[in-house]
Structure formats: C-alpha cells, structure tokens
Amino acid sequence: MPFCNAINPPSKTFVKPLCVVCEDDSCGQHFGQYSCKACAAFFRRAVASKMTFECRFDKRCDISPRVRNICRYCRYQKCLDMGMNQNAVQAFRDSYDKRFTRSPSASLSYNANGHADMRRLPQLFDGYAKFQHLRSTSFGMLAAESNSQSWDPGVIYRSLDLETLLKFIPQSTYSSAKKGCHMETSLAYDMIMEDHFAPFSSLTPDDRKKLFDQFSVFFCNAEKSYNTYKAFGHIENNDKVMLADGGYVKLDEVYKYYVDSIDINADPEHLAR
Amino acid sequence: MPFCNAINPPSKTFVKPLCVVCEDDSCGQHFGQYSCKACAAFFRRAVASKMTFECRFDKRCDISPRVRNICRYCRYQKCLDMGMNQNAVQAFRDSYDKRFTRSPSASLSYNANGHADMRRLPQLFDGYAKFQHLRSTSFGMLAAESNSQSWDPGVIYRSLDLETLLKFIPQSTYSSAKKGCHMETSLAYDMIMEDHFAPFSSLTPDDRKKLFDQFSVFFCNAEKSYNTYKAFGHIENNDKVMLADGGYVKLDEVYKYYVDSIDINADPEHLAR
DNA sequence: GTCGGTCAGAGTTCAGG
DNA sequence: CCTGAACTCTGACCGAC
Ligand SMILES: [Zn+2]
Ligand SMILES: [Zn+2]
Ligand SMILES: [Zn+2]
Ligand SMILES: [Zn+2]
C-alpha cells in the first residue's frame, strides 16, 4: 500500500507477485515496486553509494535471476525503468554494533538523504571566493595594525622557496590569531546571515545560527590544513602550520604561540599538549 | 493535560505543536511532551527494552526528521533532555497472538519502571499453597497404595541427616512417578481451569489450555529442582533428584527408576541414556 | 487522547564468491 | 570488492481503555 504505483497487479490472482527487475519471487514491495530482496539490496546500495555503472555490451542485457549480476548498468537501469524510487532510499542509520565507534566517513558531507553530495560544491566554491575577498580587505587593516606585511591567503605560493615565503608570512601569536579569529568569525557570520552563502539561504535565521555554531570550529580546522598545504605543501618535511590570521606556527615552538596569552592563566606548554 | 510540564505552549496560537525532539509534526503528547509518533515509539522501545546507546560522533548530533536515525544516543538523550518521562512507559502487555519469539525476558513481565513485576507473587504463592494442599491429600491415597510412608513435600527437611531423610522419602520408580505425574497434571489442570489460580482467571478457557500446555513441563522441571533443594540442599555432594511423586532417584541408579516399567518394553539401562 | 502491539519495509551485518 | 541471506529497527496503523 505504501506506493500504489506498483506495477504488478495487487492481488487479482493468487499468484505471488514477481520481482519487476529479475522476475524472481518477490518479498513484498521495495522502494515502491515488487521486487526480490537481492534486487532491493542492489538498488539501495547503488543509490546510497551514488554508484555509476557501464554496460560492456549493448545496454540490452537480460536480467534474470541466474544472470542478473552480469551487467550492473542494465540491472540498475531496469530498476529505474520499472519505477523503483531513488528517494525512498533513506539516510544511513546508527550502527547496531556498539563497538563500532568511528565515523562512517569523516571527510564527506551528507545531504538530506544521508548520501555524499557534491552538487553544492560549486556554490560553496563561489561562497568561499566571496569570503576570501572580504577577508583580504579586512586583513589589510589587521596587517597595518601589526606593522607586518600583508599576505593574501587566496594565492598559492608554490613557486617561492622557504626563505622568501617567511618574509611574507608573519609568525602567529595568540593575540594576533585571536584578532584574526574574531574577524574571521564575524565575516563568516555575516556571510551566512546575510544570504551571501547560497546553501544557507533556504534556512531560517535561527537554523543558520545553529549551523554556524556547529560549523565554524570545523571550518577553522579545515582551513588551517588547507592554508598550510597551500603555503608549505611544496616544502619537504614541513614543520609549520598556517592559522586563520595568515600567520604560521612552527610545531616545535608552539609555546611561542601562547606566550602573550592574556585571558588564559595556564602554562603555555601545558596548553599546547 | 496529563503533564502540564509540556514544553511547547498549549494552544495560544493555532500552530500545531512540533515534536520537541525532531521538530516533525507532533500528534499530541507522548510520555509528557509533544512529540511525533516516531519519536514516541523510539522512546518507548528504548525505555521498555532498557537499551543503551553510544554516540559515534561528538554527542551533538542533529535530530531532524531525515537524520534522526543516524544517532540513537543523541536522539534518546534529547528525548530525556526535553522532558520525556521514562516512568510513563508502561509494562509489557499480554499478547494472545504472540508466539514465544524473542521477548527481552521470556519469564518475567515488567512494570511501569521496567523492573521485573512482583505484584503477582503473593497470588502465585497462594495458588501454590492450595495446590500443595490438594496434592498432599491426593498423595495420601498414592502412598497407601504403594505401602510407603507419606511424605509432605511442603516441609523443608533441613534439620534431618541423610539417613533419617531416606526413611521418609521413598525411592521413585517409573510407575509411581507416572501415577504421580498424572495426578499432578490433573491437579494443576483443575486448578487452572476452575479459577483457583488467580492470574489465570482473566483468561478464556481456551487460552488457559494453551498456557497449560506450555507451562506444565517447565513447571515440572522447576519444581523438581525446588524439591531437590528442599530435601537434599543441605547435603554435600548430593547425587539424588526429587521427582513429582515425592520420591527420589539416585543419579547413578537411574536404571532402578525404570525397573518396574510396564508399558515400555526396553532395556532399563538403555532408557536411562 | 495516549497507551502498547503489530508487521511491512526500511537499514545493517557478514560469510562466501 | 560485491552479493544476498539473515538479522535488527522504524514508524504507520490499529485496538484497548
Ligand atoms: Zn530481482
Ligand atoms: Zn548491459
Ligand atoms: Zn520526533
Ligand atoms: Zn550523537
């Protein structure tokens, strides 16, 4: 009853409905059509993993129980042609196994269906470019304040050697990074709240705030890695990390970063962990 | 009305209250808070089955309709945080139709707090006492028939030593145990069908028969253990088992039990397995 | 109105190819 | 790796009170 677009007749005959894909015995409806468990599982995996297939023959392969695994392209195509509904594939769920504590994939985002989603990528790129533009003007002020040279994080310095690089890139301290972080946060907040960032436009202001809370710290970390790669990725045995203020921290000199800390009363070496 | 601690405002606005957990449309209150049926069912199952969950992420998972199944820990935690009341989850209800499939505990029912329910225990005790009374009068006839001394199973013989005990307790044989079993079965059947056994009064005669079929063999085994403990529990290295006829069988003399078997034409040693 | 039971159809696990 | 059998879990539906 869930979907009355089902292709097999409901129950005019007493014959058990067959799988609309491979004509094996069906076990009820799956994703809107009568199908066997095997075809249902195949369809779910294909949709959830966004798999793409190719036919090695003429895209007219037979799909019957004995041979249904010979061509995945034609099997998947027949699933779609027979009306199996991609939107009925849901998000991934919690693990049944309590020992299984790690994230399924820490590097991919998931859309409303819980699938890795790349459709937003161009919009995100566009938003990041706008963000970079706002930032480089704002950092001009910060650089003037600290008497160091301005450095545009939007440029890749692959062609420069380490000595030249370090003339442009200031060393970070806690207070400079804090100023930078505050500015970054304000900028990102404005971007998100003022509808410049495309994917967020569809959300209510309240939801955007929540999202920003979740997002900003991860974004900072991700961008730290990204900028480190852009600045030092071509240097072998790099021991420096870029921060959001456009400065760097040498890993064996982390204590320097906390040396001018004003609002954390603790041993800088200990804070560095 | 049930709980006025409900978090959503009652109905000052005409806006339908949302689920306090996932913000889906709510269908009234459940366990004290406005919630959707899905979250209510999830909460009920989790409490009733005493489930425990773990978060695979950072315990801040979003709980919205499309992704609420990604983290059961955070969903359950949000149920509690939003005020859903664990004590409002009731006991498992009896189900006539249910086979002995996979109840969390096949032998215990649970009360509103999810604890094993002991309210029936006095009734059961009372019923067992009645049963013992009927039995002891009936066994009087059996004992007279077999010329052995009468033995009341309702007494604990802890104070007696083994030699004294064995003067009172007859050794079982197949025929005496068989008579005893027949009598026991009739007694139990009468008790159950004649409304003497309190918890069964609420069932239809047909259901009582079914229950008796399932119950009697387990009851026999349980009582065997119980009587063995009462009779020999204080004797170290006990090698004797009490049977329902009030007699005992020595474990390395099981063949004796079958020695007067009249309706089984087989080697007593072989029957003992 | 809100409780629990039910079960089709979602998702997960894992041995075997 | 992919497949599919065997499993658990979810939530719409229903009856009980
Ligand atoms: Zn099929
Ligand atoms: Zn093909
Ligand atoms: Zn909900
Ligand atoms: Zn979580």
mmCIF file of all heavy atoms in Angstrom, chain A residues 216-241:
data_model
loop_
_atom_site.group_PDB
_atom_site.id
_atom_site.type_symbol
_atom_site.label_atom_id
_atom_site.label_comp_id
_atom_site.label_asym_id
_atom_site.label_seq_id
_atom_site.Cartn_x
_atom_site.Cartn_y
_atom_site.Cartn_z
ATOM 1 N N SER A 216 31.634 26.471 12.501
ATOM 2 C CA SER A 216 32.785 27.375 12.472
ATOM 3 C C SER A 216 34.067 26.708 12.944
ATOM 4 O O SER A 216 35.125 26.892 12.335
ATOM 5 C CB SER A 216 32.487 28.614 13.321
ATOM 6 O OG SER A 216 32.076 28.225 14.616
ATOM 7 N N VAL A 217 33.996 25.907 14.010
ATOM 8 C CA VAL A 217 35.227 25.337 14.534
ATOM 9 C C VAL A 217 35.818 24.330 13.550
ATOM 10 O O VAL A 217 37.036 24.290 13.336
ATOM 11 C CB VAL A 217 34.999 24.714 15.925
ATOM 12 C CG1 VAL A 217 33.993 23.597 15.865
ATOM 13 C CG2 VAL A 217 36.314 24.201 16.490
ATOM 14 N N PHE A 218 34.934 23.572 12.913
ATOM 15 C CA PHE A 218 35.432 22.621 11.924
ATOM 16 C C PHE A 218 36.018 23.349 10.727
ATOM 17 O O PHE A 218 37.035 22.958 10.166
ATOM 18 C CB PHE A 218 34.313 21.685 11.469
ATOM 19 C CG PHE A 218 33.863 20.755 12.536
ATOM 20 C CD1 PHE A 218 32.639 20.920 13.171
ATOM 21 C CD2 PHE A 218 34.662 19.697 12.923
ATOM 22 C CE1 PHE A 218 32.225 20.064 14.168
ATOM 23 C CE2 PHE A 218 34.257 18.833 13.928
ATOM 24 C CZ PHE A 218 33.040 19.018 14.549
ATOM 25 N N PHE A 219 35.339 24.436 10.361
ATOM 26 C CA PHE A 219 35.831 25.212 9.233
ATOM 27 C C PHE A 219 37.223 25.762 9.524
ATOM 28 O O PHE A 219 38.110 25.715 8.669
ATOM 29 C CB PHE A 219 34.858 26.350 8.936
ATOM 30 C CG PHE A 219 35.295 27.223 7.802
ATOM 31 C CD1 PHE A 219 35.147 26.793 6.500
ATOM 32 C CD2 PHE A 219 35.863 28.456 8.054
ATOM 33 C CE1 PHE A 219 35.554 27.590 5.448
ATOM 34 C CE2 PHE A 219 36.277 29.263 7.008
ATOM 35 C CZ PHE A 219 36.125 28.829 5.695
ATOM 36 N N CYS A 220 37.408 26.267 10.747
ATOM 37 C CA CYS A 220 38.724 26.792 11.119
ATOM 38 C C CYS A 220 39.803 25.729 10.968
ATOM 39 O O CYS A 220 40.872 25.978 10.399
ATOM 40 C CB CYS A 220 38.709 27.298 12.559
ATOM 41 S SG CYS A 220 38.099 28.973 12.721
ATOM 42 N N ASN A 221 39.509 24.545 11.471
ATOM 43 C CA ASN A 221 40.494 23.470 11.389
ATOM 44 C C ASN A 221 40.768 23.066 9.946
ATOM 45 O O ASN A 221 41.913 22.866 9.549
ATOM 46 C CB ASN A 221 40.009 22.255 12.175
ATOM 47 C CG ASN A 221 40.237 22.430 13.660
ATOM 48 O OD1 ASN A 221 41.301 22.854 14.071
ATOM 49 N ND2 ASN A 221 39.225 22.118 14.452
ATOM 50 N N ALA A 222 39.687 22.962 9.186
ATOM 51 C CA ALA A 222 39.856 22.555 7.797
ATOM 52 C C ALA A 222 40.665 23.584 7.038
ATOM 53 O O ALA A 222 41.574 23.260 6.269
ATOM 54 C CB ALA A 222 38.478 22.362 7.144
ATOM 55 N N GLU A 223 40.371 24.844 7.295
ATOM 56 C CA GLU A 223 41.079 25.871 6.542
ATOM 57 C C GLU A 223 42.535 25.971 6.971
ATOM 58 O O GLU A 223 43.413 26.288 6.160
ATOM 59 C CB GLU A 223 40.398 27.226 6.708
ATOM 60 C CG GLU A 223 40.781 28.138 5.556
ATOM 61 C CD GLU A 223 40.230 29.533 5.704
ATOM 62 O OE1 GLU A 223 40.226 30.045 6.825
ATOM 63 O OE2 GLU A 223 39.808 30.079 4.686
ATOM 64 N N LYS A 224 42.777 25.674 8.242
ATOM 65 C CA LYS A 224 44.157 25.637 8.714
ATOM 66 C C LYS A 224 44.951 24.639 7.867
ATOM 67 O O LYS A 224 46.036 24.939 7.359
ATOM 68 C CB LYS A 224 44.169 25.207 10.189
ATOM 69 C CG LYS A 224 45.245 25.846 11.021
ATOM 70 C CD LYS A 224 45.240 25.318 12.435
ATOM 71 C CE LYS A 224 43.896 25.427 13.136
ATOM 72 N NZ LYS A 224 43.948 24.996 14.537
ATOM 73 N N SER A 225 44.382 23.460 7.698
ATOM 74 C CA SER A 225 45.062 22.447 6.895
ATOM 75 C C SER A 225 45.224 22.909 5.450
ATOM 76 O O SER A 225 46.280 22.757 4.840
ATOM 77 C CB SER A 225 44.253 21.140 6.913
ATOM 78 O OG SER A 225 44.018 20.727 8.226
ATOM 79 N N TYR A 226 44.166 23.486 4.940
ATOM 80 C CA TYR A 226 44.173 23.911 3.544
ATOM 81 C C TYR A 226 45.252 24.970 3.295
ATOM 82 O O TYR A 226 46.056 24.875 2.372
ATOM 83 C CB TYR A 226 42.791 24.446 3.209
ATOM 84 C CG TYR A 226 42.639 24.981 1.806
ATOM 85 C CD1 TYR A 226 43.030 24.247 0.705
ATOM 86 C CD2 TYR A 226 42.077 26.245 1.606
ATOM 87 C CE1 TYR A 226 42.868 24.736 -0.585
ATOM 88 C CE2 TYR A 226 41.911 26.740 0.328
ATOM 89 C CZ TYR A 226 42.319 25.990 -0.766
ATOM 90 O OH TYR A 226 42.159 26.475 -2.031
ATOM 91 N N ASN A 227 45.300 25.957 4.171
ATOM 92 C CA ASN A 227 46.281 27.024 4.006
ATOM 93 C C ASN A 227 47.699 26.526 4.249
ATOM 94 O O ASN A 227 48.648 26.987 3.604
ATOM 95 C CB ASN A 227 45.967 28.189 4.954
ATOM 96 C CG ASN A 227 44.797 29.010 4.434
ATOM 97 O OD1 ASN A 227 44.557 29.051 3.212
ATOM 98 N ND2 ASN A 227 44.080 29.651 5.334
ATOM 99 N N THR A 228 47.828 25.591 5.180
ATOM 100 C CA THR A 228 49.147 25.001 5.394
ATOM 101 C C THR A 228 49.633 24.321 4.130
ATOM 102 O O THR A 228 50.785 24.465 3.714
ATOM 103 C CB THR A 228 49.090 23.982 6.543
ATOM 104 O OG1 THR A 228 48.691 24.650 7.733
ATOM 105 C CG2 THR A 228 50.440 23.322 6.747
ATOM 106 N N TYR A 229 48.727 23.599 3.491
ATOM 107 C CA TYR A 229 49.095 22.921 2.251
ATOM 108 C C TYR A 229 49.457 23.926 1.172
ATOM 109 O O TYR A 229 50.457 23.788 0.464
ATOM 110 C CB TYR A 229 47.944 22.031 1.775
ATOM 111 C CG TYR A 229 48.184 21.481 0.401
ATOM 112 C CD1 TYR A 229 49.104 20.449 0.199
ATOM 113 C CD2 TYR A 229 47.524 22.016 -0.705
ATOM 114 C CE1 TYR A 229 49.344 19.958 -1.060
ATOM 115 C CE2 TYR A 229 47.755 21.523 -1.976
ATOM 116 C CZ TYR A 229 48.673 20.496 -2.156
ATOM 117 O OH TYR A 229 48.922 20.011 -3.400
ATOM 118 N N LYS A 230 48.646 24.985 1.058
ATOM 119 C CA LYS A 230 48.909 25.970 0.016
ATOM 120 C C LYS A 230 50.253 26.656 0.235
ATOM 121 O O LYS A 230 51.000 26.927 -0.700
ATOM 122 C CB LYS A 230 47.797 27.034 -0.012
ATOM 123 C CG LYS A 230 46.521 26.536 -0.629
ATOM 124 C CD LYS A 230 45.703 27.698 -1.182
ATOM 125 C CE LYS A 230 45.356 28.682 -0.073
ATOM 126 N NZ LYS A 230 44.478 29.763 -0.586
ATOM 127 N N ALA A 231 50.572 26.940 1.512
ATOM 128 C CA ALA A 231 51.794 27.696 1.791
ATOM 129 C C ALA A 231 53.021 26.807 1.799
ATOM 130 O O ALA A 231 54.046 27.144 1.211
ATOM 131 C CB ALA A 231 51.659 28.398 3.146
ATOM 132 N N PHE A 232 52.922 25.651 2.449
ATOM 133 C CA PHE A 232 54.110 24.836 2.682
ATOM 134 C C PHE A 232 54.042 23.459 2.044
ATOM 135 O O PHE A 232 54.938 22.647 2.240
ATOM 136 C CB PHE A 232 54.338 24.658 4.191
ATOM 137 C CG PHE A 232 54.500 25.951 4.940
ATOM 138 C CD1 PHE A 232 53.597 26.323 5.921
ATOM 139 C CD2 PHE A 232 55.575 26.802 4.656
ATOM 140 C CE1 PHE A 232 53.755 27.509 6.612
ATOM 141 C CE2 PHE A 232 55.735 27.987 5.355
ATOM 142 C CZ PHE A 232 54.818 28.359 6.334
ATOM 143 N N GLY A 233 52.980 23.201 1.283
ATOM 144 C CA GLY A 233 52.795 21.864 0.721
ATOM 145 C C GLY A 233 53.930 21.417 -0.172
ATOM 146 O O GLY A 233 54.191 20.230 -0.327
ATOM 147 N N HIS A 234 54.638 22.376 -0.759
ATOM 148 C CA HIS A 234 55.727 22.010 -1.669
ATOM 149 C C HIS A 234 57.062 21.939 -0.945
ATOM 150 O O HIS A 234 58.077 21.658 -1.555
ATOM 151 C CB HIS A 234 55.790 23.014 -2.818
ATOM 152 C CG HIS A 234 56.100 24.417 -2.378
ATOM 153 N ND1 HIS A 234 55.275 25.109 -1.532
ATOM 154 C CD2 HIS A 234 57.144 25.225 -2.665
ATOM 155 C CE1 HIS A 234 55.783 26.307 -1.322
ATOM 156 N NE2 HIS A 234 56.930 26.403 -1.996
ATOM 157 N N ILE A 235 57.089 22.222 0.340
ATOM 158 C CA ILE A 235 58.318 22.159 1.132
ATOM 159 C C ILE A 235 58.405 20.797 1.814
ATOM 160 O O ILE A 235 57.468 20.395 2.506
ATOM 161 C CB ILE A 235 58.349 23.253 2.226
ATOM 162 C CG1 ILE A 235 57.964 24.607 1.652
ATOM 163 C CG2 ILE A 235 59.680 23.262 2.953
ATOM 164 C CD1 ILE A 235 59.086 25.391 1.057
ATOM 165 N N GLU A 236 59.504 20.092 1.604
ATOM 166 C CA GLU A 236 59.655 18.780 2.235
ATOM 167 C C GLU A 236 59.846 18.926 3.729
ATOM 168 O O GLU A 236 60.441 19.891 4.212
ATOM 169 C CB GLU A 236 60.868 18.056 1.637
ATOM 170 C CG GLU A 236 60.540 17.360 0.328
ATOM 171 C CD GLU A 236 61.647 16.411 -0.083
ATOM 172 O OE1 GLU A 236 62.377 15.905 0.798
ATOM 173 O OE2 GLU A 236 61.762 16.186 -1.295
ATOM 174 N N ASN A 237 59.353 17.939 4.485
ATOM 175 C CA ASN A 237 59.496 17.921 5.941
ATOM 176 C C ASN A 237 59.025 19.217 6.588
ATOM 177 O O ASN A 237 59.660 19.753 7.477
ATOM 178 C CB ASN A 237 60.963 17.662 6.326
ATOM 179 C CG ASN A 237 61.467 16.369 5.748
ATOM 180 O OD1 ASN A 237 62.359 16.375 4.902
ATOM 181 N ND2 ASN A 237 60.863 15.274 6.161
ATOM 182 N N ASN A 238 57.876 19.688 6.114
ATOM 183 C CA ASN A 238 57.333 20.915 6.670
ATOM 184 C C ASN A 238 56.983 20.739 8.139
ATOM 185 O O ASN A 238 56.420 19.742 8.545
ATOM 186 C CB ASN A 238 56.066 21.308 5.895
ATOM 187 C CG ASN A 238 55.355 22.459 6.561
ATOM 188 O OD1 ASN A 238 55.978 23.480 6.840
ATOM 189 N ND2 ASN A 238 54.068 22.285 6.806
ATOM 190 N N ASP A 239 57.346 21.721 8.954
ATOM 191 C CA ASP A 239 57.035 21.655 10.378
ATOM 192 C C ASP A 239 56.256 22.885 10.830
ATOM 193 O O ASP A 239 56.256 23.233 12.000
ATOM 194 C CB ASP A 239 58.326 21.509 11.197
ATOM 195 C CG ASP A 239 59.275 22.683 10.979
ATOM 196 O OD1 ASP A 239 58.936 23.567 10.140
ATOM 197 O OD2 ASP A 239 60.313 22.729 11.632
ATOM 198 N N LYS A 240 55.587 23.533 9.881
ATOM 199 C CA LYS A 240 54.841 24.743 10.232
ATOM 200 C C LYS A 240 53.378 24.608 9.844
ATOM 201 O O LYS A 240 53.043 23.971 8.865
ATOM 202 C CB LYS A 240 55.456 25.967 9.528
ATOM 203 C CG LYS A 240 56.896 26.222 9.959
ATOM 204 C CD LYS A 240 57.572 27.210 9.052
ATOM 205 C CE LYS A 240 59.081 27.148 9.259
ATOM 206 N NZ LYS A 240 59.657 25.842 8.766
ATOM 207 N N VAL A 241 52.511 25.222 10.623
ATOM 208 C CA VAL A 241 51.072 25.170 10.384
ATOM 209 C C VAL A 241 50.540 26.584 10.223
ATOM 210 O O VAL A 241 50.860 27.472 11.010
ATOM 211 C CB VAL A 241 50.356 24.459 11.564
ATOM 212 C CG1 VAL A 241 48.838 24.634 11.471
ATOM 213 C CG2 VAL A 241 50.722 22.995 11.601
#
